Amino acid sequence: MSKEIPRGARMRIFRAAEAYEVDETIMPMAGLDENVLAGFQQVSGSGLEDGHRVRCLFQDKTGTGMSLVHIWYKSGFVLPQHRHDADCVYYVIAGAIHAGNAVVGQGDGLYIPKDHDYTYTAGPEGVELLEFRNTATFNILFNSKDPGQWSRMAAAAEANVDAWKLQTKPPARR
């Protein structure tokens, strides 16, 4: 009697047209303390929601657990300081991010180990990124140690909201 050989992972094709918004089913929020909730309240109504688009291209819950996310932050968008419970590799398709004193531009990348706090600001053209993770789902934990970050985010949104409305295509597609 021969044993049937189990089939391994199979090639899967994913389409950009079938991408979907990243929400709390993919990236649940953790550690929402009073400072973080107050920060959310502070940026509410600032136009921040017009400054970004984050869509899941690939999510494998059955095999490798990998995920691939396409991100577009418009010019001057400020990402809140946070961390995740999974490693991440960012690849810059077009535009740039400013992370501390470093500028990460087209063709460059950034590795963020799990549980490492980070933030960055989109460059003057905005930034289009691919985000690779070794898991299908991962949390987001906001750092509440810097309450001033929410003011910086709100100020950036208010300063750029009119420009963001005119930015209808990511940098690589202009």
Side-chain angles (χ1 to χ4, degrees):
M1 179 187 274
S2 67
K3 287 177 85 175
E4 191 162 84
I5 299 172
R7 296 192 124 180
R10 300 178 60 85
M11 182 175 76
R12 292 171 46 195
I13 295 171
F14 57 91
R15 308 274 184 201
E18 297 168 0
Y20 46 92
E21 297 297 319
V22 170
D23 60 18
E24 287 198 41
T25 62
I26 297 171
M27 186 172 53
M29 293 184 201
L32 297 178
D33 64 18
E34 290 178 18
N35 292 333
V36 172
L37 294 174
F40 285 156
Q41 187 65 33
Q42 190 173 357
V43 297
S44 177
S46 66
L48 194 68
E49 63 279 355
D50 294 327
H52 68 288
R53 186 180 76 191
V54 182
R55 297 171 47 93
C56 186
L57 295 169
F58 178 79
Q59 182 184 33
D60 183 9
K61 295 179 184 178
T62 61
T64 63
M66 294 182 69
S67 61
L68 175 62
V69 173
H70 178 264
I71 302 169
W72 171 29
Y73 293 121
K74 297 181 180 181
S75 59
F77 185 89
V78 176
L79 194 68
Q81 190 173 57
H82 67 283
R83 64 181 177 261
H84 301 281
D85 61 350
D87 296 339
C88 174
V89 172
Y90 285 112
Y91 175 78
V92 178
I93 298 169
I97 59 175
H98 298 254
N101 294 329
V103 176
V104 184
Q106 182 177 11
D108 296 334
L110 184 63
Y111 168 73
I112 310 284
K114 73 177 193 171
D115 298 324
H116 179 79
D117 285 331
Y118 70 100
T119 181
Y120 55 77
T121 302
E125 295 178 26
V127 66
E128 189 174 0
L129 304 159
L130 288 176
E131 176 188 276
F132 302 87
R133 290 197 190 265
N134 59 351
T135 184
T137 59
F138 47 92
N139 75 9
I140 183 168
L141 180 65
F142 295 96
N143 183 334
S144 62
K145 296 175 189 167
D146 178 13
Q149 73 176 325
W150 304 103
S151 298
R152 290 189 296 278
M153 289 174 60
E158 289 165 3
N160 291 300
V161 70
D162 291 334
W164 290 347
K165 290 177 183 169
L166 300 174
Q167 295 172 29
T168 59
K169 294 181 182 176
R173 295 186 179 101
R174 291 185 194 148

